Amino acid sequence: MAAVHRQFLEQLAARDASIGMSPDPLNVRVRELILATPALLTRTYAWSTRGTQLLAHELIAEADGERSSPDEAVARCAAMQIAAARTSLHDEIHRRRIKGEGVDEIYPTMVTLAQKVFGLVENGLGEYAVRR
């Protein structure tokens, strides 16, 4: 988890276009095009699903687990949580960029948000949104 979190922070700092942090307005327009085009959206979903599967396989190996066993279900769950964390952060970057906020403006907030989001994945939902 720490490696994924660290990588995301590095991408933020580098203003990496792959996560929407490029200051070039074309970056936002490309994402809007993908979201508005069914064929591109389907392909993006398939690519994302494949990435999650590959991550699950790596997690199984790191945990000394076995494929085609209950270990694989646990690794898939972990991979899906990690992918969802990254997706939620990408979506927030995109939402703010569409509103006209610049990458330098959103950078500090995204660092803080990444800490919170990856913290939820790393530490579990525990007390998050518990009705009292």
Side-chain angles (χ1 to χ4, degrees):
M1 190 65 237
V4 175
H5 185 179
R6 186 173 47 254
Q7 178 198 36
F8 189 81
L9 293 176
E10 289 168 359
Q11 289 176 303
L12 282 174
R15 307 306 192 258
D16 191 323
S18 72
I19 63 167
M21 283 296 286
S22 170
D24 186 342
L26 182 61
N27 189 254
V28 172
R29 292 196 309 264
V30 167
R31 179 161 175 170
E32 289 175 330
L33 176 66
I34 291 168
L35 294 175
T37 308
L40 294 176
L41 190 56
T42 299
R43 186 67 190 134
T44 301
Y45 176 76
W47 177 81
S48 176
T49 300
R50 178 68 179 141
T52 302
Q53 289 171 340
L54 292 172
L55 177 56
H57 293 160
E58 288 300 316
L59 292 172
I60 291 168
E62 286 293 319
D64 293 325
E66 294 182 27
R67 289 172 82 180
S68 300
S69 75
D71 296 332
E72 188 166 5
V74 172
R76 267 195 321 273
C77 179
M80 289 175 164
Q81 288 180 36
I82 292 167
R86 289 184 56 88
T87 299
S88 72
L89 293 166
H90 294 173
D91 289 350
E92 180 62 11
I93 291 168
H94 186 68
R95 183 187 72 76
R96 294 184 68 177
R97 295 286 288 128
I98 285 175
K99 285 177 36 181
E101 296 180 56
V103 294
D104 292 332
E105 184 180 356
I106 67 174
Y107 173 77
T109 306
M110 291 310 303
V111 169
T112 301
L113 186 58
Q115 301 285 2
K116 291 178 182 177
V117 168
F118 287 116
L120 279 175
V121 175
E122 187 171 1
N123 300 313
L125 296 176
E127 295 296 314
Y128 178 75
V130 174
R131 186 173 289 185
R132 300 192 193 284

